[in-house]
């Protein structure tokens, strides 16, 4: 018997973990109830939700069986993997993960997952931490000697761009717009990336003046 599924997601649509979960649900067309809950920055969470999820974490998946049992899952990656496994290809749903028998694709999936964590770490370093020493700055002595005083690039920005180039290379290695060629649709790893990359584009431009959609960076990261 199929349990009743309810996903609690943020009302404003800003939570990246809720977004990637919703992208999976929409692409697979999973039948599920959706309840909207505000993030803490947008107001207090309703008591009815906190009785179900005392931690208040989002997203949250409530699983209810016909005999009255209830279970709550609050880790987005676990939620996505559970929803994917409960709605398999044999039942007419799209494939989101490489086949377990396809060892090369599974290895690529793990490598891409690690790369996404690396990119996320560099993004946090760039946006949320004080800038470190800059590369390329001539300094006072260099200026006195007539060296160029072009804008310098911080170590955080350099690391972020270098990691972004790795991601672009991985995307360029496939024939289509996704990280895997075995599907004509986005899969799990694409959703894992897109929710954070979307926020990287906006925050890098706003806080650091790094316009990754400019012609310069479109040429540098064509994929």
């Amino acid at each position: 018997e199929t349990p009743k599924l309810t996903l609690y997601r943020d009302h404003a649509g800003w939570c990246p973990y809720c977004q990637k979960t919703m992208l999976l649900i929409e692409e697979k067309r999973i039948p599920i109830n959706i309840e909207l809950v505000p993030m803490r920055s947008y107001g207090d969470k309703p008591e009815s939700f906190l009785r179900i999820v005392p931690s208040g974490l989002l997203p949250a998946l409530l699983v209810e069986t016909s005999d009255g049992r209830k279970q709550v899952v609050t880790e987005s990656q676990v939620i996505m993997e559970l929803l994917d496994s409960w709605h398999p290809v044999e039942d007419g749903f799209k494939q989101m993960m490489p086949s377990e028998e396809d060892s090369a694709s599974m290895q690529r999936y793990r490598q891409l997952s690690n790369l996404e964590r690396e990119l996320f770490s560099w993004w946090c370093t760039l946006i949320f931490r004080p800038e470190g020493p800059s590369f390329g700055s001539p300094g006072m002595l260099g200026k006195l000697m007539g060296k160029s005083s072009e804008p310098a690039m911080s170590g955080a920005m350099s690391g972020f761009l270098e990691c972004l180039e790795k991601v672009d290379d991985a995307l360029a290695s496939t024939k289509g717009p996704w990280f895997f060629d075995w599907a004509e649709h986005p899969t799990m790893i694409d959703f894992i990336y897109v929710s954070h990359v979307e926020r990287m584009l906006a925050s890098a431009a706003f806080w650091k003046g790094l316009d990754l959609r400019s012609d310069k960076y479109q040429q540098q990261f064509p994929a």
Side-chain angles (χ1 to χ4, degrees):
E1 184 179 345
T2 304
K4 178 183 176 182
L5 302 175
T6 301
L7 180 77
Y8 294 88
R9 53 155 293 184
D10 70 307
H11 189 278
W14 178 240
C15 170
Y17 305 100
C18 293
Q19 182 187 11
K20 66 179 68 176
T21 306
M22 284 301 303
L23 288 171
L24 177 86
I25 290 170
E26 291 172 356
E27 186 64 31
K28 285 183 73 84
R29 298 186 178 182
I30 294 174
I32 189 172
N33 301 302
I34 303 294
E35 295 288 342
L36 301 180
V37 179
M39 295 173 67
R40 287 192 176 92
S41 54
Y42 292 101
D44 295 331
K45 291 179 168 63
E47 287 298 325
S48 57
F49 170 71
L50 293 175
R51 282 195 293 270
I52 299 170
V53 188
S55 65
L57 292 175
L58 293 171
L61 178 68
L62 174 62
V63 183
E64 301 177 85
T65 58
S66 59
D67 59 3
R69 289 180 297 165
K70 296 181 180 181
Q71 183 176 358
V72 175
V73 183
T74 56
E75 171 58 47
S76 62
Q77 189 60 40
V78 175
I79 292 172
M80 293 171 73
E81 292 173 0
L82 285 174
L83 290 176
D84 185 46
S85 65
W86 292 341
H87 301 85
V89 175
E90 305 85 75
D91 292 344
F93 296 94
K94 292 181 180 179
Q95 182 178 348
M96 289 291 136
M97 288 286 292
S99 170
E100 291 290 343
E101 291 74 32
D102 188 350
S103 58
S105 290
M106 284 302 300
Q107 181 180 8
R108 177 174 169 82
Y109 177 84
R110 288 189 289 269
Q111 290 172 341
L112 288 169
S113 295
N114 291 335
L115 181 57
E116 192 275 338
R117 289 293 83 197
E118 182 183 349
L119 181 65
F120 179 82
S121 177
W122 274 116
W123 173 56
C124 290
T125 300
L126 174 65
I127 301 298
F128 303 112
R129 297 175 187 171
E131 290 282 351
S134 299
F135 294 116
S137 174
M140 182 58 69
L141 180 60
K143 291 177 181 178
L144 291 173
M145 295 177 65
K147 293 185 178 180
S148 173
S149 58
E150 293 181 359
M153 181 178 291
S154 70
M157 185 173 293
S158 177
F160 174 70
L161 290 174
E162 288 174 5
C163 190
L164 196 59
E165 187 169 8
K166 295 179 189 177
V167 175
D168 189 73
D169 289 343
L171 199 53
S173 69
T174 59
K175 298 176 182 177
W178 318 117
F179 281 113
F180 283 106
D181 282 330
W182 49 258
E184 295 183 354
H185 57 265
T187 61
M188 181 80 75
I189 194 65
D190 297 295
F191 302 140
I192 290 173
Y193 270 86
V194 72
S195 62
H196 279 134
V197 170
E198 183 179 68
R199 286 152 180 79
M200 291 174 190
L201 293 173
S203 59
F206 185 82
W207 294 108
K208 299 299 177 179
L210 179 62
D211 184 4
L212 294 169
R213 294 189 183 277
S214 67
D215 291 340
K216 172 186 175 180
Y217 288 109
Q218 287 286 332
Q219 293 175 5
Q220 185 174 344
F221 309 121

